[in-house]
Amino acid sequence: MMKFRFRRQGADPHRDRIRHDLFAFSKTVEHGFPSQPSALAYDPVLRVMAIGTKAGAVKLYGAPGVELTGLHKETATVTQLHFLPGQGWLLSLLDDNTLHLWEVCQKEGCSHLEETRSFGLPGRPGSGSANCSPGITRVTVVLPMAAGAMVCLGTEGGAVYFVTLPTLTLLEDKTLFPDEILQSVPDEYRCGKALGPVESIQEHPLRGSQLLIGYSRGLVVLWEQSTRTVQHLFLGNQQLESLAWEQSGKSIVSSHSDGGYMVWAVSGTGQRTQQPAMSTIPYGPFPCKAISKILWRTCESGNPFIIFSGGMPRASYGDRHCVSVLQGQTLATLDFTSRVIDFFTVQSAEVPEGGFENPRALVVLVEEELVAIDLQTPGWPTIPAPYLAPLHSSAITCSCHVSNVPLKLWERIVSVGEQQSPRQSSVAWPIDGGKNLAQEPTQRGLLLTGHEDGTVRFWDASGVSLKPLYKLGTANIFQTDCEHNDSLNQAGEEEWPPFRKVGCFDPYSDDPRLGVQKIALCKYTAKMVVAGTAGQVLVMELSDEKSEHAVSVATVDLLQDREGFTWKGHDRLAPRNGPLHFPPGFQPSVLVQCVPPAAVTAVTLHSEWNLVAFGTSHGFGLFDYYRRNPVLARCTLHPNDSLAMEGPLSRVKSLKKSLRQSFRRIRKSRVSGKKRLNASSPSSKVQEANAQLAEQAGPPEVEMTPVQRRIEPRSADDSLSGVVRCLYFADTFLRDATHHGPTMWAGTNSGSVFAYALEVPSQEKFSERAVEAVLGKEIQLMHRAPVVAIAVLDGRGNPLPEPYEVSRDLAKAPDMQGSHSMLISSEEQFKVFTLPKVSAKTKFKLTAHEGCRVRKVALVSLTSAGSEERLENCLACLTNLGDIHIFTVPSLRPQVHYSCIRKEDISGIASCVFTKHGQGFYLISPSEFERFSLSARNVTEPLCRLEVARLQDTSCLSNSSTVTPKLPQANGTHVLRSSEGQHSPSDSDRSPVEHPAVFSPGPIDSPNSSVENPLDITGDITVEEVKDFLASSEEAEQNLRNASEDEARPTGILIK
């Protein structure tokens, strides 16, 4: 019988209003450190800093919560950034030689960053080009004048141009060409050589009409703008890198390519100075690298600060990335693990004449992190940053979000985190400009990230700023080489240069087996499970005191002595023997080692039952961590699962085998439509239905929409079919419909679901009785699609609460009167079954209808923006195309879908994690999480205000298109689609903060109703086989009868 889906006429306005109040997709804020930073600037008046990136992004940061983001239209590197202090104007220079003016504008009480104008230098007269920018006019130096009406541009050709602000109009009559300077230079200095590019321009600290101009050859000129005369010449012969004024204007300091710097006296007696007052190479006498930037800051306590980057001995330490801080006889060589981009000091904006600058802090931007140094505390300790933390200090391998963290646990985590960094400065974060207008978070959110080096980092994800709280290390439990490397990093007392390691970016792991793969945390008992790459499963508990104890070790054999399998992968990590010292924090009590030591692919924790379940590519196990003994081990390997025995770190994977399997699949797909399969084949019904759909055509007068795609069945002997994808604990009905009890569910890569009934003793008898597990049911999905997630819904269709939530009056007790249902999410569809019969109730075939596969799913609770009382539980799904689909539960009726991540961004899709209240995170670069919201009510976004005192009110007049407050990421991780699926590239460059939803057509009534979503089996991942190991013989016969009736049900016309 033919099957059609007729298009519905009309819609339900009431349900549409409800959906608009529930669902709203927006990308709100980027957490972490900007990818590939290339420029830095600081405004001492507004007390904010700006960071530019190679992808053309501009990001402003002030006090925690004060963040503004902009994106250039051109995909070009930001090479320089410069503030006009206090005016809310920011100049950016791109590597395409264009200058852009950004403005902080106020809209609806909040500040936004908008690009207002751009400018490109014309070619030099006589070049025959009016609009191009040849090399001779390539800008090398940008200096906004303190008066705020003009900006100076130094070029490679040696000319200095003057441009008005904010109109960015070139003042041709003020242009200073090098020929004009050479007229004042002595003949013996000229020697027929050019002055070279302009390397630095600095404004006189007291007389704004005088400019200090430095040329690459070494000549430094003090130029009087008003009279266009040379006031002073400093005839240097060493290649110049940078210049800086001493605050009084009586001295200047120049840094050079030979690793030295010179101090020159500025006097009114003579116009020429041939020798500096002082010249030194700090790390000489051997050849040194250039000092690329130098600062001179006066200090009331005595000697000034001289701060410079580079200058390291070329042969010995030429590969080091250093910033040196010198005050009198005190020298600190700050050693970073990545290249230094730029740095600045924080001091008072207004320094009276004859006063001192007294810098409070030094802020250094390197390629992989931002570091602040306290210059007023002895020892110059680092200042902990409230944002811009390098998430990728070790590569992120997994992440987990915990919502509504109890205050007591939160305070304990913060306390143990503070004890980890006693050497850090206690002063407040120095960049504190602007005002955060966002409301205080209503709940505490914890983001946990697992890393390649075996650490787990705890982040405060409650608000706009992602703040580090605590770092947990697991490497010290095992025998590794970490101690040797740590000792090498410690500088000796007499070492020269006096290196001091700063920053926390360390991308190197001593052993890849330490990598964290899965994390589970119970927020009510402060117990946590950390599982790793070598099959290690650590059960940990939070302790406020340090401890010294031995860690119990238990081994669980997941192969169950199965013959014919030989593990070819990495060895297990060897645990340390004897008592170990553990600082305050999460301390391990039990180490469960899986055998073979394959990477853990799934883990779950039930602290009320004292159980932890874990799975690998070989099977799954259940462990009682109270009695410290294994309860269950089950092998899920197929006889042909040879790749599962090689491990992720093995280099001996059979290329021939994978190619052979690929050709077999191609051959099977080609003949499946022509050859009629045997009726006993598990996929025969699917192939027949697909053939019917291909051959039959509907009446020409009926308008139809495509209802499904042809889905090829997966082979039962596919490699890695035994991988355990998900584990789940539930108190539900498995034995019969009257008695509920603890159960454990496991889903595999081959579409198998195992359900176990657990005998868990009461709290008083934990020490007397052991937990027992009895196999209750085995379910095999017909298409053998990987099972991504399993969840049990109570009689009202709500997800079951977490352990201890009900007993502590933190959640409503689940409905145990009505029948429970089970939601199985595979890669190809979602399906709801009744319990304990396991009969299909409703489903949605995502792959057949949308042509995509499921990658991430989560049950989320969304509150209406119109009324706090209206709350709906929904299923959020991220596909391999980067789209997010939302369905009602348990009716599985599609509500909306959004384009979130580019389908090419595989790492971004794999890293996505949903929160329980409709938000999510995914990596847009190795160092940045993008935060998004699916809820119209629960949105975390920066709302801030900067008070600017602008000399001219431009009212954000722009000669370009209007820029919205929130811009897409500069790294191009996604391109947003409009509701019609059409979006021009120019539109995507300036997409709005809220993206249009693609609503499902037709009227939708109650989200819990499934009347309009009947079950059909054509092309379906229907239940191929259900084995009930707990039912009586009569019940088993009845189940088989029901199953046969379901399979014989004819396919009818489905109106949707």
Side-chain angles (χ1 to χ4, degrees):
M1 185 176 180
M2 294 173 58
K3 188 177 98 172
F4 305 98
R5 291 184 189 271
F6 292 94
R7 287 185 177 174
R8 290 190 185 166
Q9 302 298 322
D12 182 359
H14 176 66
R15 181 59 192 171
D16 284 343
R17 283 196 301 272
I18 292 175
R19 285 192 297 189
H20 279 97
D21 287 343
L22 283 172
F23 312 115
F25 178 74
S26 57
K27 296 183 178 181
T28 55
V29 66
E30 291 106 17
H31 292 306
F33 186 76
S35 177
Q36 296 183 309
S38 55
L40 177 70
Y42 177 65
D43 187 332
V45 178
L46 296 181
R47 302 192 310 281
V48 296
M49 69 175 177
I51 294 177
T53 71
K54 289 185 177 180
V58 177
K59 301 187 177 186
L60 264 67
Y61 300 92
V66 176
E67 296 185 16
L68 304 177
T69 303
L71 181 64
H72 290 89
K73 296 176 186 177
E74 302 81 4
T75 305
T77 299
V78 181
T79 57
Q80 293 186 46
L81 287 175
H82 299 272
F83 276 104
L84 276 74
Q87 299 188 44
W89 281 338
L90 176 68
L91 285 167
S92 63
L93 178 67
L94 303 186
D95 63 353
D96 63 2
N97 205 39
T98 57
L99 190 69
H100 300 258
L101 180 65
W102 295 82
E103 192 171 332
V104 176
C105 299
Q106 314 299 331
K107 288 186 180 179
E108 299 178 356
C110 296
S111 295
H112 304 289
L113 187 64
E114 298 187 3
E115 180 184 346
T116 59
R117 287 176 176 82
S118 61
F119 170 80
L121 274 178
R124 191 170 180 179
S127 65
S129 174
N131 298 316
C132 66
S133 298
I136 200 168
T137 56
R138 174 163 292 279
V139 177
T140 56
V141 180
V142 179
L143 174 70
M145 305 293 286
M150 197 162 49
V151 58
C152 307
L153 304 178
T155 63
E156 278 191 5
V160 178
Y161 296 87
F162 296 86
V163 177
T164 62
L165 290 174
T167 58
L168 294 186
T169 303
L170 178 64
L171 299 174
E172 297 186 12
D173 59 327
K174 286 185 171 289
T175 303
L176 174 62
F177 290 106
D179 299 342
E180 194 170 350
I181 298 295
L182 284 172
Q183 294 176 5
S184 304
V185 175
D187 293 338
E188 62 271 15
Y189 186 84
R190 293 186 206 175
C191 299
K193 296 180 181 179
L195 298 180
V198 178
E199 292 292 343
S200 181
I201 304 177
Q202 299 293 330
E203 192 174 5
H204 195 288
L206 303 178
R207 294 185 289 274
S209 62
Q210 293 186 357
L211 293 178
L212 192 68
I213 305 172
Y215 296 89
S216 177
R217 182 181 165 187
L219 176 69
V220 179
V221 177
L222 184 60
W223 172 260
E224 174 61 55
Q225 297 181 71
S226 58
T227 60
R228 296 187 67 86
T229 57
V230 174
Q231 295 284 5
H232 205 115
L233 287 175
F234 304 92
L235 304 177
N237 289 304
Q238 186 63 43
Q239 182 178 328
L240 182 72
E241 294 290 331
S242 73
L243 291 170
W245 279 100
E246 188 262 338
Q247 174 60 27
S248 65
K250 296 179 180 178
S251 301
I252 62 170
V253 59
S254 61
S255 67
H256 301 272
S257 60
D258 63 347
Y261 67 87
M262 303 177 186
V263 178
W264 304 77
V266 181
S267 61
T269 55
Q271 285 193 341
R272 301 171 186 172
T273 301
Q274 295 188 347
Q275 295 297 327
M278 188 269 286
S279 177
T280 180
I281 300 179
Y283 298 106
F286 298 107
C288 295
K289 300 192 74 173
I291 294 179
S292 56
K293 180 177 179 177
I294 192 165
L295 295 179
W296 183 326
R297 295 289 182 258
T298 57
C299 188
E300 194 172 359
S301 59
N303 294 310
F305 281 97
I306 295 178
I307 305 169
F308 58 89
S309 58
M312 288 292 105
R314 188 176 294 274
S316 305
Y317 303 107
D319 58 342
R320 297 288 186 102
H321 312 288
C322 299
V323 173
S324 300
V325 182
L326 175 65
Q327 187 184 29
Q329 298 299 315
T330 306
L331 173 65
T333 308
L334 307 178
D335 189 10
F336 299 90
T337 54
S338 57
R339 185 173 62 90
V340 177
I341 303 295
D342 203 352
F343 60 90
F344 62 83
T345 57
V346 179
Q347 63 264 344
S348 299
E350 297 293 335
V351 178
E353 188 172 348
F356 299 92
E357 292 164 297
N358 294 325
R360 295 186 288 123
L362 167 68
V363 179
V364 183
L365 174 68
V366 294
E367 276 190 330
E368 307 295 350
E369 60 188 321
L370 183 86
V371 179
I373 306 294
D374 181 4
L375 296 179
Q376 292 188 332
T377 302
W380 299 334
T382 58
I383 305 173
Y387 47 72
L388 288 177
L391 303 175
H392 63 319
S393 51
S394 174
I396 295 177
T397 50
C398 67
S399 55
C400 167
H401 186 271
V402 183
S403 302
N404 297 323
V405 178
L407 178 60
K408 184 176 181 182
L409 174 62
W410 187 271
E411 291 175 342
R412 294 177 66 192
I413 292 175
V414 171
S415 175
V416 297
E418 290 174 347
Q419 297 178 50
Q420 286 186 319
S421 307
R423 297 180 182 178
Q424 288 190 333
S425 173
S426 59
V427 303
W429 180 245
I431 304 166
D432 56 356
K435 183 179 181 181
N436 182 14
L437 303 179
Q439 295 181 352
E440 284 296 318
T442 56
Q443 55 94 15
R444 290 167 292 276
L446 202 59
L447 182 65
L448 311 181
T449 55
H451 296 264
E452 192 179 42
D453 61 356
T455 59
V456 177
R457 297 169 195 260
F458 291 63
W459 308 90
D460 178 1
S462 309
V464 172
S465 299
L466 192 69
K467 182 182 178 182
L469 297 179
Y470 166 67
K471 184 176 86 169
L472 165 67
T474 61
N476 59 334
I477 303 168
F478 304 100
Q479 298 178 17
T480 63
D481 298 330
C482 295
E483 301 79 15
H484 175 67
N485 290 339
D486 287 344
S487 63
L488 290 179
N489 290 336
Q490 300 299 324
E493 291 183 3
E494 301 300 326
E495 183 181 0
W496 179 262
F499 289 117
R500 181 180 138 201
K501 282 284 185 184
V502 288
C504 60
F505 177 73
D506 183 12
Y508 306 107
S509 173
D510 295 284
D511 195 329
R513 296 175 298 172
L514 291 169
V516 177
Q517 295 296 322
K518 297 293 175 181
I519 307 168
L521 172 67
C522 176
K523 58 189 177 185
Y524 301 113
T525 59
K527 286 186 170 61
M528 186 168 71
V529 176
V530 178
T533 304
Q536 69 270 29
V537 181
L538 286 164
V539 182
M540 317 184 87
E541 187 170 3
L542 182 60
S543 173
D544 300 322
E545 304 293 335
K546 60 182 180 181
S547 173
E548 189 168 344
H549 62 268
V551 179
S552 301
V553 180
T555 303
V556 177
D557 183 9
L558 298 179
L559 289 182
Q560 294 294 287
D561 301 324
R562 185 175 293 195
E563 298 180 356
F565 290 97
T566 303
W567 173 248
K568 303 174 185 177
H570 50 265
D571 295 330
R572 57 182 283 184
L573 284 163
R576 295 182 183 275
N577 299 320
L580 302 176
H581 174 74
F582 298 102
F586 281 92
Q587 300 172 353
S589 56
V590 184
L591 166 62
V592 183
Q593 179 63 54
C594 300
V595 176
V600 177
T601 56
V603 72
T604 187
L605 169 69
H606 201 295
S607 54
E608 204 165 358
W609 302 339
N610 294 327
L611 295 176
V612 57
F614 46 87
T616 68
S617 55
H618 306 118
F620 56 88
L622 182 64
F623 190 83
D624 180 351
Y625 58 82
Y626 183 85
R627 294 174 62 90
R628 303 190 178 184
N629 66 319
V631 177
L632 164 71
R634 171 69 183 254
C635 181
T636 57
L637 279 179
H638 189 273
N640 293 337
D641 265 350
S642 59
L643 286 183
M645 305 309 296
E646 296 178 359
L649 304 180
S650 172
R651 297 185 179 181
V652 295
K653 290 188 176 181
S654 172
L655 179 61
K656 291 182 180 179
K657 181 176 176 62
S658 60
L659 287 173
R660 192 175 349 85
Q661 289 172 342
S662 299
F663 283 116
R664 282 177 183 170
R665 280 195 291 268
I666 294 172
R667 206 159 43 238
K668 284 173 64 178
S669 65
R670 284 177 177 173
V671 302
S672 61
K674 304 175 183 178
K675 183 178 177 182
R676 186 176 181 84
L677 298 178
N678 191 328
S680 61
S681 171
S683 55
S684 60
K685 292 184 177 61
V686 177
Q687 297 298 333
E688 291 175 12
N690 283 334
Q692 290 177 9
L693 287 170
E695 295 169 4
Q696 295 175 352
E701 68 275 6
V702 179
E703 183 184 9
M704 293 181 299
T705 57
V707 293
Q708 61 187 30
R709 289 165 174 80
R710 183 172 303 192
I711 308 300
E712 297 295 338
R714 303 192 184 199
S715 172
D717 61 352
D718 275 351
S719 296
L720 301 177
S721 62
V723 175
V724 177
R725 294 289 294 272
C726 59
L727 294 161
Y728 181 69
F729 286 116
D731 184 355
T732 188
F733 301 91
L734 186 63
R735 298 177 181 273
D736 53 55
T738 56
H739 301 89
H740 63 86
T743 61
M744 187 196 77
W745 304 75
T748 72
N749 233 19
S750 60
S752 300
V753 177
F754 303 90
Y756 284 83
L758 307 178
E759 293 288 342
V760 180
S762 60
Q763 298 278 354
E764 300 79 16
K765 298 183 179 180
F766 268 136
S767 57
E768 301 174 10
R769 290 178 52 198
V771 177
E772 297 179 3
V774 180
L775 180 61
K777 288 179 172 62
E778 281 188 25
I779 305 169
Q780 178 63 59
L781 302 180
M782 176 179 288
H783 259 68
R784 302 181 183 275
V787 179
V788 179
I790 301 171
V792 173
L793 309 174
D794 68 5
R796 291 187 292 264
N798 297 322
L800 298 183
E802 295 182 26
Y804 287 107
E805 271 193 332
V806 176
S807 60
R808 301 190 180 190
D809 297 327
L810 298 171
K812 291 182 179 180
D815 182 4
M816 292 296 185
Q817 304 302 319
S819 61
H820 284 196
S821 53
M822 174 182 57
L823 171 62
I824 294 182
S825 303
S826 75
E827 278 193 2
E828 296 178 357
Q829 79 163 236
F830 311 110
K831 201 157 191 178
V832 175
F833 300 92
T834 60
L835 289 177
K837 297 294 185 181
V838 193
S839 58
K841 185 178 179 182
T842 186
K843 60 154 177 42
F844 184 85
K845 298 180 287 186
L846 186 71
T847 302
H849 293 311
E850 303 292 339
C852 54
R853 296 189 182 276
V854 176
R855 287 293 175 258
K856 302 281 183 176
V857 292
L859 288 169
V860 298
S861 177
L862 299 178
T863 306
S864 171
S867 171
E868 291 187 17
E869 297 178 356
R870 183 168 190 88
L871 184 144
E872 287 189 11
N873 293 308
C874 301
L875 179 71
C877 155
L878 175 69
T879 71
N880 64 324
L881 302 181
D883 298 333
I884 292 180
H885 297 252
I886 301 179
F887 302 86
T888 57
V889 173
S891 60
L892 296 182
R893 202 173 277 113
Q895 297 297 290
V896 291
H897 73 267
Y898 308 98
S899 178
C900 181
I901 311 173
R902 288 188 310 119
K903 63 181 179 181
E904 297 84 6
D905 187 8
I906 299 175
S907 61
I909 294 173
S911 65
C912 182
V913 56
F914 291 102
T915 74
K916 289 193 173 181
H917 299 289
Q919 295 194 36
F921 305 83
Y922 69 91
L923 288 172
I924 55 175
S925 72
S927 60
E928 279 181 294
F929 272 114
E930 171 70 60
R931 188 178 192 133
F932 62 88
S933 175
L934 305 173
S935 169
R937 185 183 190 91
N938 184 23
V939 181
T940 302
E941 61 182 345
L943 297 173
C944 57
R945 183 176 179 86
L946 286 175
E947 298 293 342
V948 299
R950 198 164 289 138
L951 297 180
Q952 302 179 46
D953 185 13
T954 60
S955 301
C956 289
L957 295 177
S958 173
N959 60 359
S960 61
S961 59
T962 302
V963 184
T964 53
K966 176 67 171 65
L967 303 176
Q969 288 75 13
N971 55 20
T973 53
H974 64 276
V975 176
L976 302 165
R977 291 206 305 258
S978 67
S979 57
E980 289 80 13
Q982 298 175 350
H983 207 157
S984 66
S986 61
D987 291 338
S988 65
D989 288 345
R990 290 293 185 267
S991 54
V993 55
E994 291 192 2
H995 311 298
V998 182
F999 289 102
S1000 302
I1004 297 180
D1005 303 318
S1006 169
N1008 293 325
S1009 171
S1010 59
V1011 176
E1012 294 186 15
N1013 208 19
L1015 181 70
D1016 66 88
I1017 63 170
T1018 306
D1020 189 12
I1021 320 174
T1022 46
V1023 179
E1024 180 182 79
E1025 184 180 6
V1026 178
K1027 295 180 182 179
D1028 194 337
F1029 298 90
L1030 299 175
S1032 63
S1033 58
E1034 294 180 2
E1035 290 177 338
E1037 291 177 5
Q1038 182 65 30
N1039 288 343
L1040 288 174
R1041 196 178 302 115
N1042 293 338
S1044 63
E1045 291 175 0
D1046 287 341
E1047 291 180 1
R1049 184 183 306 158
T1051 58
I1053 296 178
L1054 181 61
I1055 300 177
K1056 185 175 179 182

